[in-house]
Amino acid sequence: MSFSPLIDRLIDALRVLPGVGPRSAQRAAFHLLERDRDGARRLAEALVLAMDKVGHCNQCRTLSEAALCALCNSDRRDRSVLCVVENPTDVIAVDRGGAYNGLFFVLMGHLSPLDGIGPKELGLDGLDARLAESEVKELILATNPTVEGEATAHYIAEMARRHGVRVSRIAQGVPFGGELEFIDAGTLSQAIADRRAY
Amino acid sequence: MSAQRVDSQPAYVIHARPYRETSLLIEALTLDHGRVGLVARGAARPKSALRALLQPFVPLHLSWQGNGELKTLRSAEPAGMVRRPDGRAALSGLYLNELLQRLLPRDDGHPELFSAYVDAMQGLIFPESVEVCLRRFEMRLLDALGYGLVLDHEPLNGEAIVPEAAYDYDPHGGPRRTSAGLGLNLRGASLANMAANRFDDETTRADAKRLLRQVLRTHLGERPLKSRELFQGLAARKQV
């Protein structure tokens, strides 16, 4: 059945959220209308503000409303190391680990010819220009260990070597606290192949 | 008509993209059914075991059912050892996959093409064989599509290829003798080597590359290959 036009429109709009189908959209709509109109207004305001203001950091391309994101602007980060990741959420994941104190470059995707995504779409000309400025001494390739991720890493590595920048790729292997028995064959054979002196 | 079920078909994933919330839309090259479109339900969930499996370069056995354009994947199992491609092999693999996606219609089985693809996937792992590997696959792909190259005679007059002579190549009409320096400027000996599947000679490799690029361009039409852009971007290093 359908509700009044405005309610229908709200339910329909809520379905843009990931994981929200017709049922949960309806639940959310009625919850907001019946119990939390203030919260809904704050949500609407936050949505409009974020959609209007949030763009990309000029330096690392991550999502940011400032021309330079907080990380790029920080004077406590090591500016000689640059870590290349696919998505803004990867920045948070790497940073959370605490082992990395350099800057990031966010591709917002990976090379994928079949999806029409090439170097231009990933802003690699910007990265090229940045490597040419020579502040960066080491580039860490932290693209995903998928075929597209490897191809992307290879492409960027060739680019960086032309500027004489040292290139490394994040290690792959067994997760801490994992049990060998439950690790997939591909990861395990990679871990054996890339074993190191101990 | 009941839904067609296919069990344990040897296959490689050509491309995977997110589909709906938690699923993947897979293009796969299979032994008997050619290129098929499959929906892998739940494969995009963070902990799905299928996620790591449904990747290019991984030899698989796929089972699916359905009659439409898109079938439903029922299961995927690894078939043999997974060799991870290095970055260069990965780029070349993406090129082959783009060729297949662009030139091969869905649901058109070519067992010979599948075995060509298996050979290519194995050859790409070794850096020294990448170039030859690509050329062999391109030739076998054209054969499978019915556009096979003519390499032993001039269709125009029936004359055999002369090793010392120079040839141009019409994508629809085959080799044509010209004075040296004209058209594609292919050496007769290169055509003979290609016909005999011998690529150890550098001139043959260079000629084969020019010839195949020209012929593939005819069949690909106006829109250029995106992966070729990548190779061109790597201009500083030796091109594949």
Side-chain angles (χ1 to χ4, degrees):
Chain A
M1 71 164 271
S2 71
F3 303 96
S4 71
L6 278 181
I7 300 177
D8 270 343
R9 202 173 134 192
L10 174 60
I11 293 174
D12 206 47
L14 284 167
R15 291 186 54 192
V16 300
L17 292 167
V20 174
R23 275 298 289 175
S24 13
Q26 186 185 320
R27 234 184 76 220
F30 279 95
H31 172 83
L32 295 176
L33 285 168
E34 288 171 30
R35 299 177 212 279
D36 200 359
R37 293 195 178 218
D38 284 343
R41 285 200 188 88
R42 281 198 302 278
L43 173 64
E45 202 182 318
L47 278 173
V48 170
L49 263 178
M51 291 312 120
D52 287 349
K53 305 272 185 211
V54 174
H56 293 275
C57 168
N58 286 341
Q59 204 168 39
C60 72
R61 305 218 321 147
T62 197
L63 293 168
S64 159
E65 65 259 42
L68 271 190
C69 70
L71 273 178
C72 287
N73 221 354
S74 163
D75 50 10
R76 280 190 291 199
R77 309 291 296 198
D78 179 354
R79 297 188 166 264
S80 67
V81 212
L82 190 63
C83 179
V84 179
V85 293
E86 292 186 15
N87 294 303
T89 44
D90 299 336
V91 172
I92 295 163
V94 174
D95 200 51
R96 197 179 41 205
Y100 182 68
N101 190 37
L103 296 181
F104 288 92
F105 187 85
V106 187
L107 300 168
M108 308 297 291
H110 50 225
L111 291 177
S112 180
L114 284 174
D115 296 314
I117 296 173
K120 204 166 65 221
E121 286 75 13
L122 299 181
L124 293 189
D125 36 355
L127 180 60
D128 201 36
R130 189 155 164 201
L131 292 175
E133 284 168 17
S134 84
E135 196 184 26
V136 178
K137 301 276 177 279
E138 182 180 357
L139 192 70
I140 301 174
L141 297 166
T143 52
N144 291 329
T146 58
V147 171
E148 286 92 349
E150 286 303 328
T152 311
H154 174 72
Y155 191 93
I156 297 173
E158 293 289 325
M159 216 169 80
R161 286 196 191 100
R162 285 207 288 273
H163 295 295
V165 174
R166 195 151 61 92
V167 181
S168 55
R169 176 95 173 99
I170 51 163
Q172 287 171 40
V174 181
F176 187 69
E179 287 176 47
L180 297 194
E181 186 186 348
F182 300 117
I183 301 215
D184 69 282
T187 305
L188 206 47
S189 46
Q190 187 79 21
I192 297 281
D194 293 348
R195 70 188 179 278
R196 55 178 187 208
Y198 184 71
Chain B
M1 193 173 103
S2 65
Q4 192 196 6
R5 279 173 78 103
V6 177
D7 287 307
S8 288
Q9 192 45 217
Y12 277 92
V13 168
I14 298 176
H15 186 59
R17 89 186 87 203
Y19 180 67
R20 304 246 172 101
E21 290 295 319
T22 55
S23 301
L24 291 176
L25 194 58
I26 305 286
E27 289 292 334
L29 183 69
T30 66
L31 175 64
D32 297 317
H33 300 263
R35 180 161 77 84
V36 290
L38 300 166
V39 176
R41 293 232 172 94
R45 289 211 171 88
K47 291 192 175 164
S48 168
L50 280 178
R51 213 175 149 94
L53 216 49
L54 295 174
Q55 288 263 335
F57 279 90
V58 180
L60 295 170
H61 282 145
L62 298 181
S63 304
W64 68 84
Q65 64 186 24
N67 297 317
E69 267 285 285
L70 283 180
K71 287 120 173 100
T72 307
L73 182 75
R74 286 191 291 121
S75 72
E77 314 241 337
M81 206 180 90
V82 179
R83 294 264 252 324
R84 296 215 185 185
D86 66 357
R88 190 185 149 93
L91 270 182
S92 303
L94 293 180
Y95 164 69
L96 295 190
N97 290 347
E98 193 179 9
L99 277 184
L100 285 175
Q101 181 84 359
R102 290 277 298 275
L103 294 173
L104 187 67
R106 268 191 185 152
D107 302 310
D108 188 5
H110 291 284
E112 158 53 28
L113 181 60
F114 187 78
S115 84
Y117 192 75
V118 173
D119 292 346
M121 287 292 111
Q122 284 163 358
L124 286 181
I125 302 290
F126 308 102
E128 65 281 3
S129 63
V130 169
E131 186 184 2
V132 175
C133 202
L134 295 181
R135 296 298 90 79
R136 287 199 174 120
F137 181 79
E138 288 165 344
M139 286 173 70
R140 288 167 81 179
L141 173 62
L142 289 169
D143 282 339
L145 296 170
Y147 303 135
L149 297 177
V150 179
L151 296 166
D152 55 348
H153 69 281
E154 288 182 71
L156 214 56
N157 51 24
E159 279 179 32
I161 295 297
V162 181
E164 301 77 32
Y167 291 87
D168 192 13
Y169 197 99
D170 171 3
H172 302 290
R176 210 172 38 216
R177 195 163 167 168
T178 55
S179 13
L182 285 181
L184 283 174
N185 195 21
L186 307 163
R187 214 178 33 148
S190 298
L191 298 179
N193 283 337
M194 285 174 74
N197 204 7
R198 281 195 309 262
F199 288 93
D200 19 284
D201 158 59
E202 204 172 318
T203 317
T204 303
R205 290 202 296 273
D207 281 353
K209 181 176 170 177
R210 280 206 313 285
L211 169 55
L212 283 158
R213 182 177 293 184
Q214 170 89 354
V215 174
L216 285 169
R217 194 183 293 141
T218 316
H219 298 303
L220 284 164
E222 291 295 302
R223 196 156 53 95
L225 285 173
K226 197 80 185 169
S227 40
R228 186 144 283 154
E229 223 177 82
L230 296 181
F231 290 125
Q232 280 158 358
L234 293 175
R237 101 207 144 96
K238 194 170 150 261
Q239 286 215 340
V240 178

